[in-house]
């Protein structure tokens, strides 16, 4: 288990300077003011959103974005696999961040895992209806891809179809297969079009946290009843913390690359 390194503080027997009479109160007030200012400027992750435009986002992905109820595989929920609750998946985490700036904003999942497994499927048929009235798109694909060579070219079809609807498109790397070659396919598609790309390669090494669920975690089904996961394929998906971290990176990409 990762442990933060212990800080070593210097022990000082004498003060670095001596206060003149009456100066202590002034210094104390200054310290309190500085402390208050620091508190108000810290915790940027919890600060209110500064994206105030209405964002109608389509999240084009796979089971991480949304997976319907499947009792036969042990998934008794119908949101992003494997979030414990609907509000904890990446789609709803991102939506919550955007709603902080504009309550009218929304994020809608679109699972096209079937396309990841079969590139002969017409991407326009999968996306045309769901893209309507969207002003932003997130593309997070690659987990179910078996033919990586073809994926490197076909991912461009997805990006171009989304760009026909809106210029606000953000591409995201893979979570389950966090490998350079698989991520490069999506990154290249983004760079060729000067679009923002969110890498997930460093997600685990930066946080030092477990980012996948365990069999001991408590989940809630569509009726609000608790259950546990046991299917290894589900356990490879991002947990609540990972979902939130991914959502934060996507939100940051929108904020930094698309000015209001």
């Amino acid at each position: 288990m990762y442990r933060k390194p212990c800080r070593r503080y210097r022990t000082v027997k004498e003060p670095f300077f001596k206060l003149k009479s009456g100066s202590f109160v002034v210094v104390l007030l200054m310290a309190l003011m500085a402390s208050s200012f620091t508190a108000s400027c810290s915790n940027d992750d919890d600060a209110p959103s500064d994206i105030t435009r209405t964002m109608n986002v389509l999240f084009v992905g796979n089971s991480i974005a949304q997976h319907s109820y499947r009792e036969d595989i042990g998934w008794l929920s119908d949101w992003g696999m494997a979030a414990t609750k609907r509000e904890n998946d990446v789609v709803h985490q991102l939506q919550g961040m955007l709603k902080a700036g504009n309550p009218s904003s929304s994020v809608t999942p679109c699972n096209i895992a079937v396309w990841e497994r079969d590139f002969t499927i017409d991407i326009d048929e999968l996306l045309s209806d769901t893209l309507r009235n969207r002003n932003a798109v997130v593309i997070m694909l690659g987990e179910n891809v078996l033919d990586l060579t073809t994926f490197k070219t076909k991912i461009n079809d997805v990006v171009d179809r989304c760009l026909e609807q809106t210029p606000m498109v953000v591409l995201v790397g893979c979570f389950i297969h966090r490998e350079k070659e698989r991520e490069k396919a999506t990154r290249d598609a983004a760079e060729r079009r000067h679009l923002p790309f969110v890498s997930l390669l460093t997600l685990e090494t930066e946080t030092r946290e477990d980012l996948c669920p365990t069999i001991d975690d408590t989940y809630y089904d569509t009726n609000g009843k608790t259950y546990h996961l046991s299917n290894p394929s589900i356990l490879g998906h991002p947990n609540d913390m990972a979902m939130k971290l991914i959502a934060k990176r996507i939100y940051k990409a929108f904020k930094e690359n698309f000015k209001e």
Side-chain angles (χ1 to χ4, degrees):
M1 180 178 294
Y2 171 80
R3 295 182 179 178
K4 293 182 179 179
C6 297
R7 293 182 178 180
R8 295 185 178 180
Y9 294 95
R10 176 184 175 189
T11 302
V12 182
K13 294 181 180 180
E14 298 293 335
F16 289 112
F17 59 91
K18 293 183 179 180
L19 295 174
K20 295 182 179 180
S21 177
S23 300
F24 177 76
V25 175
V26 175
V27 174
L28 178 61
L29 288 174
M30 292 176 65
L32 289 173
M33 291 174 63
S35 175
S36 175
F37 178 78
T38 302
S40 65
C41 294
S42 62
N43 299 323
D44 291 337
D45 290 338
D46 298 324
S49 167
D50 54 6
I51 298 180
T52 57
R53 64 154 67 96
T54 300
M55 298 282 285
N56 295 318
V57 183
L58 182 66
F59 198 114
V60 180
N62 43 46
S63 58
I64 294 176
Q66 189 274 333
H67 195 294
S68 57
Y69 184 100
R70 282 280 303 276
E71 186 175 2
D72 59 315
I73 64 171
W75 176 243
L76 309 183
S77 311
D78 64 354
W79 46 80
M81 190 182 276
T84 55
K85 297 179 180 179
R86 186 183 308 277
E87 59 266 29
N88 293 334
D89 73 11
V90 63
V91 167
H92 292 86
Q93 293 269 14
L94 178 60
Q95 179 173 266
M97 295 173 193
L98 294 172
K99 280 184 173 294
N102 189 317
S104 298
S105 291
S106 64
V107 183
T108 303
C110 178
N111 185 336
I112 62 168
V114 62
W115 173 86
E116 290 180 305
R117 300 184 181 96
D118 184 0
F119 295 127
T120 64
I121 296 175
D122 187 353
I123 195 65
D124 190 59
E125 291 184 4
L126 292 175
L127 298 179
S128 58
D129 290 339
T130 53
L131 275 171
R132 192 172 293 117
N133 299 322
R134 309 293 175 184
N135 65 355
V137 177
V138 174
I139 301 173
M140 183 177 174
L141 296 166
E143 270 80 11
N144 299 294
V145 169
L146 299 177
D147 184 355
L148 187 56
T149 301
T150 305
F151 177 66
K152 291 177 181 179
T153 58
K154 288 296 184 179
I155 185 62
N156 292 285
D157 296 342
V158 179
V159 178
D160 290 338
R161 179 61 187 89
C162 293
L163 286 172
E164 291 176 10
Q165 176 66 28
T166 175
M168 281 203 296
V169 176
V170 171
L171 281 79
V172 186
C174 290
F175 175 84
I176 296 177
H177 302 288
R178 293 195 292 282
E179 56 191 48
K180 292 182 179 179
E181 189 63 24
R182 189 175 295 264
E183 179 171 282
K184 187 177 184 299
T186 309
R187 182 191 292 274
D188 287 349
E191 290 181 348
R192 278 194 291 269
R193 295 159 180 81
H194 306 288
L195 296 172
F197 176 78
V198 176
S199 174
L200 302 183
L201 288 178
T202 60
L203 204 61
E204 201 159 28
T205 56
E206 287 180 4
T207 60
R208 303 288 186 176
E209 299 285 351
D210 293 329
L211 298 182
C212 289
T214 71
I215 58 175
D216 296 321
D217 294 340
T218 300
Y219 283 76
Y220 294 84
D221 66 15
T222 53
N223 296 315
K225 296 181 180 180
T226 61
Y227 73 102
H228 296 276
L229 299 174
S230 59
N231 190 321
S233 64
I234 300 177
L235 293 171
H237 285 67
N239 62 12
D240 291 353
M241 174 176 286
M243 293 279 195
K244 185 174 183 178
L245 292 172
I246 296 169
K248 283 183 177 180
R249 291 191 178 192
I250 295 171
Y251 172 80
K252 183 179 180 182
F254 275 123
K255 182 172 67 174
E256 294 182 348
N257 292 279
F258 301 106
K259 304 303 180 182
E260 299 190 53

mmCIF file of all heavy atoms in Angstrom, residues 181-213:
data_model
loop_
_atom_site.group_PDB
_atom_site.id
_atom_site.type_symbol
_atom_site.label_atom_id
_atom_site.label_comp_id
_atom_site.label_asym_id
_atom_site.label_seq_id
_atom_site.Cartn_x
_atom_site.Cartn_y
_atom_site.Cartn_z
ATOM 1 N N GLU A 181 0.249 2.459 -27.236
ATOM 2 C CA GLU A 181 -0.121 2.222 -28.631
ATOM 3 C C GLU A 181 -1.614 2.422 -28.856
ATOM 4 O O GLU A 181 -2.038 3.008 -29.848
ATOM 5 C CB GLU A 181 0.278 0.801 -29.035
ATOM 6 C CG GLU A 181 0.123 0.529 -30.531
ATOM 7 C CD GLU A 181 1.011 1.388 -31.404
ATOM 8 O OE1 GLU A 181 2.055 1.865 -30.909
ATOM 9 O OE2 GLU A 181 0.660 1.596 -32.576
ATOM 10 N N ARG A 182 -2.429 1.941 -27.937
ATOM 11 C CA ARG A 182 -3.877 2.086 -28.074
ATOM 12 C C ARG A 182 -4.280 3.557 -27.924
ATOM 13 O O ARG A 182 -5.142 4.055 -28.626
ATOM 14 C CB ARG A 182 -4.591 1.229 -27.036
ATOM 15 C CG ARG A 182 -6.094 1.131 -27.203
ATOM 16 C CD ARG A 182 -6.667 0.160 -26.203
ATOM 17 N NE ARG A 182 -6.201 -1.202 -26.439
ATOM 18 C CZ ARG A 182 -6.879 -2.121 -27.134
ATOM 19 N NH1 ARG A 182 -8.055 -1.820 -27.638
ATOM 20 N NH2 ARG A 182 -6.391 -3.338 -27.294
ATOM 21 N N GLU A 183 -3.644 4.237 -26.976
ATOM 22 C CA GLU A 183 -3.964 5.653 -26.776
ATOM 23 C C GLU A 183 -3.518 6.504 -27.960
ATOM 24 O O GLU A 183 -4.167 7.500 -28.302
ATOM 25 C CB GLU A 183 -3.316 6.164 -25.493
ATOM 26 C CG GLU A 183 -3.602 7.634 -25.238
ATOM 27 C CD GLU A 183 -3.148 8.108 -23.884
ATOM 28 O OE1 GLU A 183 -3.840 7.837 -22.895
ATOM 29 O OE2 GLU A 183 -2.085 8.757 -23.830
ATOM 30 N N LYS A 184 -2.427 6.122 -28.592
ATOM 31 C CA LYS A 184 -1.877 6.903 -29.697
ATOM 32 C C LYS A 184 -2.877 7.045 -30.843
ATOM 33 O O LYS A 184 -2.927 8.085 -31.505
ATOM 34 C CB LYS A 184 -0.590 6.258 -30.205
ATOM 35 C CG LYS A 184 0.159 7.080 -31.252
ATOM 36 C CD LYS A 184 1.458 6.409 -31.647
ATOM 37 C CE LYS A 184 2.256 7.265 -32.616
ATOM 38 N NZ LYS A 184 1.532 7.523 -33.881
ATOM 39 N N ALA A 185 -3.689 6.032 -31.073
ATOM 40 C CA ALA A 185 -4.669 6.094 -32.154
ATOM 41 C C ALA A 185 -5.642 7.245 -31.932
ATOM 42 O O ALA A 185 -5.947 8.014 -32.862
ATOM 43 C CB ALA A 185 -5.430 4.765 -32.241
ATOM 44 N N THR A 186 -6.124 7.381 -30.701
ATOM 45 C CA THR A 186 -7.062 8.458 -30.394
ATOM 46 C C THR A 186 -6.359 9.800 -30.316
ATOM 47 O O THR A 186 -6.872 10.818 -30.777
ATOM 48 C CB THR A 186 -7.782 8.172 -29.066
ATOM 49 O OG1 THR A 186 -8.332 6.854 -29.095
ATOM 50 C CG2 THR A 186 -8.905 9.158 -28.833
ATOM 51 N N ARG A 187 -5.158 9.799 -29.748
ATOM 52 C CA ARG A 187 -4.402 11.045 -29.650
ATOM 53 C C ARG A 187 -4.094 11.611 -31.038
ATOM 54 O O ARG A 187 -4.220 12.822 -31.278
ATOM 55 C CB ARG A 187 -3.095 10.821 -28.885
ATOM 56 C CG ARG A 187 -2.273 12.096 -28.699
ATOM 57 C CD ARG A 187 -0.884 11.763 -28.171
ATOM 58 N NE ARG A 187 -0.930 11.263 -26.821
ATOM 59 C CZ ARG A 187 -0.934 12.044 -25.738
ATOM 60 N NH1 ARG A 187 -0.890 13.359 -25.880
ATOM 61 N NH2 ARG A 187 -0.961 11.512 -24.529
ATOM 62 N N ASP A 188 -3.677 10.741 -31.955
ATOM 63 C CA ASP A 188 -3.363 11.199 -33.313
ATOM 64 C C ASP A 188 -4.582 11.815 -33.996
ATOM 65 O O ASP A 188 -4.472 12.823 -34.700
ATOM 66 C CB ASP A 188 -2.835 10.030 -34.148
ATOM 67 C CG ASP A 188 -1.417 9.624 -33.763
ATOM 68 O OD1 ASP A 188 -0.776 10.367 -32.999
ATOM 69 O OD2 ASP A 188 -0.968 8.552 -34.223
ATOM 70 N N ALA A 189 -5.745 11.196 -33.787
ATOM 71 C CA ALA A 189 -6.972 11.731 -34.383
ATOM 72 C C ALA A 189 -7.269 13.125 -33.841
ATOM 73 O O ALA A 189 -7.745 14.002 -34.580
ATOM 74 C CB ALA A 189 -8.143 10.787 -34.096
ATOM 75 N N ALA A 190 -6.986 13.335 -32.560
ATOM 76 C CA ALA A 190 -7.206 14.650 -31.954
ATOM 77 C C ALA A 190 -6.203 15.675 -32.470
ATOM 78 O O ALA A 190 -6.573 16.792 -32.848
ATOM 79 C CB ALA A 190 -7.123 14.540 -30.442
ATOM 80 N N GLU A 191 -4.934 15.295 -32.510
ATOM 81 C CA GLU A 191 -3.890 16.244 -32.903
ATOM 82 C C GLU A 191 -4.020 16.664 -34.364
ATOM 83 O O GLU A 191 -3.730 17.817 -34.704
ATOM 84 C CB GLU A 191 -2.516 15.627 -32.643
ATOM 85 C CG GLU A 191 -2.199 15.485 -31.154
ATOM 86 C CD GLU A 191 -0.833 14.884 -30.894
ATOM 87 O OE1 GLU A 191 -0.216 14.369 -31.860
ATOM 88 O OE2 GLU A 191 -0.382 14.904 -29.722
ATOM 89 N N ARG A 192 -4.449 15.750 -35.221
ATOM 90 C CA ARG A 192 -4.617 16.106 -36.638
ATOM 91 C C ARG A 192 -5.671 17.189 -36.828
ATOM 92 O O ARG A 192 -5.616 17.948 -37.795
ATOM 93 C CB ARG A 192 -4.993 14.866 -37.453
ATOM 94 C CG ARG A 192 -3.808 13.999 -37.842
ATOM 95 C CD ARG A 192 -4.194 12.991 -38.915
ATOM 96 N NE ARG A 192 -5.092 11.980 -38.388
ATOM 97 C CZ ARG A 192 -4.681 10.822 -37.855
ATOM 98 N NH1 ARG A 192 -3.390 10.553 -37.767
ATOM 99 N NH2 ARG A 192 -5.554 9.938 -37.414
ATOM 100 N N ARG A 193 -6.612 17.273 -35.897
ATOM 101 C CA ARG A 193 -7.699 18.247 -36.000
ATOM 102 C C ARG A 193 -7.584 19.360 -34.966
ATOM 103 O O ARG A 193 -8.515 20.146 -34.798
ATOM 104 C CB ARG A 193 -9.041 17.509 -35.850
ATOM 105 C CG ARG A 193 -9.309 16.537 -36.989
ATOM 106 C CD ARG A 193 -10.316 15.476 -36.611
ATOM 107 N NE ARG A 193 -10.552 14.550 -37.715
ATOM 108 C CZ ARG A 193 -9.735 13.526 -38.005
ATOM 109 N NH1 ARG A 193 -8.655 13.314 -37.273
ATOM 110 N NH2 ARG A 193 -9.999 12.737 -39.026
ATOM 111 N N HIS A 194 -6.454 19.380 -34.260
ATOM 112 C CA HIS A 194 -6.199 20.398 -33.235
ATOM 113 C C HIS A 194 -7.294 20.395 -32.173
ATOM 114 O O HIS A 194 -7.767 21.460 -31.741
ATOM 115 C CB HIS A 194 -6.072 21.786 -33.877
ATOM 116 C CG HIS A 194 -5.048 21.846 -34.967
ATOM 117 N ND1 HIS A 194 -3.682 21.803 -34.725
ATOM 118 C CD2 HIS A 194 -5.188 21.919 -36.323
ATOM 119 C CE1 HIS A 194 -3.031 21.860 -35.866
ATOM 120 N NE2 HIS A 194 -3.907 21.924 -36.855
ATOM 121 N N LEU A 195 -7.671 19.206 -31.746
ATOM 122 C CA LEU A 195 -8.680 19.041 -30.710
ATOM 123 C C LEU A 195 -8.014 18.651 -29.397
ATOM 124 O O LEU A 195 -6.950 18.019 -29.397
ATOM 125 C CB LEU A 195 -9.687 17.962 -31.114
ATOM 126 C CG LEU A 195 -10.537 18.228 -32.355
ATOM 127 C CD1 LEU A 195 -11.335 16.981 -32.738
ATOM 128 C CD2 LEU A 195 -11.479 19.407 -32.123
ATOM 129 N N PRO A 196 -8.616 18.990 -28.276
ATOM 130 C CA PRO A 196 -8.038 18.588 -26.983
ATOM 131 C C PRO A 196 -8.113 17.085 -26.766
ATOM 132 O O PRO A 196 -9.099 16.441 -27.150
ATOM 133 C CB PRO A 196 -8.908 19.334 -25.965
ATOM 134 C CG PRO A 196 -10.165 19.673 -26.678
ATOM 135 C CD PRO A 196 -9.805 19.852 -28.119
ATOM 136 N N PHE A 197 -7.064 16.544 -26.151
ATOM 137 C CA PHE A 197 -7.006 15.117 -25.850
ATOM 138 C C PHE A 197 -6.717 14.916 -24.369
ATOM 139 O O PHE A 197 -5.831 15.543 -23.803
ATOM 140 C CB PHE A 197 -5.918 14.433 -26.684
ATOM 141 C CG PHE A 197 -5.752 12.978 -26.357
ATOM 142 C CD1 PHE A 197 -6.644 12.042 -26.837
ATOM 143 C CD2 PHE A 197 -4.707 12.546 -25.534
ATOM 144 C CE1 PHE A 197 -6.509 10.697 -26.534
ATOM 145 C CE2 PHE A 197 -4.571 11.210 -25.219
ATOM 146 C CZ PHE A 197 -5.468 10.282 -25.714
ATOM 147 N N VAL A 198 -7.483 14.028 -23.741
ATOM 148 C CA VAL A 198 -7.333 13.737 -22.321
ATOM 149 C C VAL A 198 -6.676 12.372 -22.177
ATOM 150 O O VAL A 198 -7.272 11.340 -22.489
ATOM 151 C CB VAL A 198 -8.696 13.734 -21.607
ATOM 152 C CG1 VAL A 198 -8.537 13.337 -20.144
ATOM 153 C CG2 VAL A 198 -9.365 15.100 -21.731
ATOM 154 N N SER A 199 -5.439 12.361 -21.699
ATOM 155 C CA SER A 199 -4.725 11.102 -21.497
ATOM 156 C C SER A 199 -5.070 10.505 -20.138
ATOM 157 O O SER A 199 -5.219 11.221 -19.148
ATOM 158 C CB SER A 199 -3.219 11.339 -21.589
ATOM 159 O OG SER A 199 -2.507 10.156 -21.265
ATOM 160 N N LEU A 200 -5.175 9.176 -20.102
ATOM 161 C CA LEU A 200 -5.433 8.474 -18.844
ATOM 162 C C LEU A 200 -4.254 7.594 -18.439
ATOM 163 O O LEU A 200 -4.350 6.837 -17.477
ATOM 164 C CB LEU A 200 -6.702 7.617 -18.963
ATOM 165 C CG LEU A 200 -7.986 8.347 -19.341
ATOM 166 C CD1 LEU A 200 -9.157 7.376 -19.352
ATOM 167 C CD2 LEU A 200 -8.268 9.508 -18.397
ATOM 168 N N LEU A 201 -3.141 7.707 -19.155
ATOM 169 C CA LEU A 201 -1.983 6.853 -18.887
ATOM 170 C C LEU A 201 -1.421 7.076 -17.490
ATOM 171 O O LEU A 201 -0.931 6.146 -16.848
ATOM 172 C CB LEU A 201 -0.891 7.104 -19.932
ATOM 173 C CG LEU A 201 -1.147 6.583 -21.347
ATOM 174 C CD1 LEU A 201 0.003 6.961 -22.266
ATOM 175 C CD2 LEU A 201 -1.337 5.070 -21.345
ATOM 176 N N THR A 202 -1.488 8.309 -17.009
ATOM 177 C CA THR A 202 -0.881 8.630 -15.715
ATOM 178 C C THR A 202 -1.895 8.647 -14.572
ATOM 179 O O THR A 202 -1.558 9.036 -13.455
ATOM 180 C CB THR A 202 -0.202 10.013 -15.780
ATOM 181 O OG1 THR A 202 -1.188 11.011 -16.096
ATOM 182 C CG2 THR A 202 0.882 10.025 -16.841
ATOM 183 N N LEU A 203 -3.102 8.232 -14.849
ATOM 184 C CA LEU A 203 -4.175 8.353 -13.864
ATOM 185 C C LEU A 203 -3.835 7.677 -12.546
ATOM 186 O O LEU A 203 -3.960 8.260 -11.474
ATOM 187 C CB LEU A 203 -5.467 7.756 -14.435
ATOM 188 C CG LEU A 203 -6.788 8.248 -13.853
ATOM 189 C CD1 LEU A 203 -6.956 9.740 -14.080
ATOM 190 C CD2 LEU A 203 -7.952 7.495 -14.463
ATOM 191 N N GLU A 204 -3.354 6.450 -12.608
ATOM 192 C CA GLU A 204 -3.109 5.680 -11.399
ATOM 193 C C GLU A 204 -1.821 6.094 -10.699
ATOM 194 O O GLU A 204 -1.762 6.188 -9.473
ATOM 195 C CB GLU A 204 -3.063 4.188 -11.727
ATOM 196 C CG GLU A 204 -3.311 3.300 -10.535
ATOM 197 C CD GLU A 204 -3.765 1.912 -10.946
ATOM 198 O OE1 GLU A 204 -3.392 1.465 -12.048
ATOM 199 O OE2 GLU A 204 -4.479 1.289 -10.174
ATOM 200 N N THR A 205 -0.781 6.375 -11.481
ATOM 201 C CA THR A 205 0.505 6.723 -10.872
ATOM 202 C C THR A 205 0.445 8.077 -10.188
ATOM 203 O O THR A 205 1.167 8.323 -9.227
ATOM 204 C CB THR A 205 1.615 6.742 -11.936
ATOM 205 O OG1 THR A 205 1.257 7.642 -12.998
ATOM 206 C CG2 THR A 205 1.830 5.363 -12.514
ATOM 207 N N GLU A 206 -0.421 8.963 -10.669
ATOM 208 C CA GLU A 206 -0.523 10.283 -10.064
ATOM 209 C C GLU A 206 -1.352 10.255 -8.778
ATOM 210 O O GLU A 206 -1.066 10.954 -7.819
ATOM 211 C CB GLU A 206 -1.139 11.275 -11.055
ATOM 212 C CG GLU A 206 -0.191 11.678 -12.167
ATOM 213 C CD GLU A 206 -0.815 12.666 -13.128
ATOM 214 O OE1 GLU A 206 -1.952 13.090 -12.874
ATOM 215 O OE2 GLU A 206 -0.167 13.019 -14.119
ATOM 216 N N THR A 207 -2.393 9.441 -8.760
ATOM 217 C CA THR A 207 -3.290 9.440 -7.607
ATOM 218 C C THR A 207 -2.854 8.488 -6.508
ATOM 219 O O THR A 207 -3.179 8.681 -5.349
ATOM 220 C CB THR A 207 -4.713 9.039 -8.041
ATOM 221 O OG1 THR A 207 -4.668 7.712 -8.606
ATOM 222 C CG2 THR A 207 -5.258 9.996 -9.080
ATOM 223 N N ARG A 208 -2.126 7.422 -6.881
ATOM 224 C CA ARG A 208 -1.696 6.406 -5.912
ATOM 225 C C ARG A 208 -2.892 5.761 -5.208
ATOM 226 O O ARG A 208 -2.830 5.387 -4.044
ATOM 227 C CB ARG A 208 -0.761 7.023 -4.860
ATOM 228 C CG ARG A 208 0.469 7.685 -5.432
ATOM 229 C CD ARG A 208 1.471 6.663 -5.953
ATOM 230 N NE ARG A 208 2.706 7.308 -6.376
ATOM 231 C CZ ARG A 208 3.767 6.663 -6.794
ATOM 232 N NH1 ARG A 208 3.764 5.351 -6.870
ATOM 233 N NH2 ARG A 208 4.856 7.313 -7.169
ATOM 234 N N GLU A 209 -3.997 5.677 -5.897
ATOM 235 C CA GLU A 209 -5.204 5.086 -5.322
ATOM 236 C C GLU A 209 -5.632 3.896 -6.165
ATOM 237 O O GLU A 209 -5.271 3.775 -7.335
ATOM 238 C CB GLU A 209 -6.335 6.118 -5.278
ATOM 239 C CG GLU A 209 -6.058 7.349 -4.432
ATOM 240 C CD GLU A 209 -6.151 7.073 -2.948
ATOM 241 O OE1 GLU A 209 -6.592 5.963 -2.583
ATOM 242 O OE2 GLU A 209 -5.780 7.962 -2.159
ATOM 243 N N ASP A 210 -6.424 3.006 -5.553
ATOM 244 C CA ASP A 210 -7.010 1.912 -6.307
ATOM 245 C C ASP A 210 -8.152 2.468 -7.155
ATOM 246 O O ASP A 210 -9.093 3.056 -6.623
ATOM 247 C CB ASP A 210 -7.539 0.836 -5.357
ATOM 248 C CG ASP A 210 -6.416 0.131 -4.607
ATOM 249 O OD1 ASP A 210 -5.323 0.021 -5.184
ATOM 250 O OD2 ASP A 210 -6.640 -0.284 -3.456
ATOM 251 N N LEU A 211 -8.073 2.292 -8.463
ATOM 252 C CA LEU A 211 -9.033 2.908 -9.357
ATOM 253 C C LEU A 211 -10.032 1.908 -9.943
ATOM 254 O O LEU A 211 -10.841 2.272 -10.784
ATOM 255 C CB LEU A 211 -8.299 3.632 -10.488
ATOM 256 C CG LEU A 211 -7.381 4.772 -10.035
ATOM 257 C CD1 LEU A 211 -6.754 5.449 -11.225
ATOM 258 C CD2 LEU A 211 -8.145 5.782 -9.189
ATOM 259 N N CYS A 212 -9.967 0.664 -9.496
ATOM 260 C CA CYS A 212 -10.926 -0.352 -9.934
ATOM 261 C C CYS A 212 -11.692 -0.872 -8.718
ATOM 262 O O CYS A 212 -11.186 -0.856 -7.598
ATOM 263 C CB CYS A 212 -10.216 -1.511 -10.632
ATOM 264 S SG CYS A 212 -9.561 -1.084 -12.258
ATOM 265 N N PRO A 213 -12.923 -1.336 -8.924
ATOM 266 C CA PRO A 213 -13.730 -1.842 -7.804
ATOM 267 C C PRO A 213 -13.207 -3.164 -7.270
ATOM 268 O O PRO A 213 -12.376 -3.819 -7.897
ATOM 269 C CB PRO A 213 -15.119 -2.007 -8.434
ATOM 270 C CG PRO A 213 -14.856 -2.215 -9.891
ATOM 271 C CD PRO A 213 -13.649 -1.386 -10.208
#
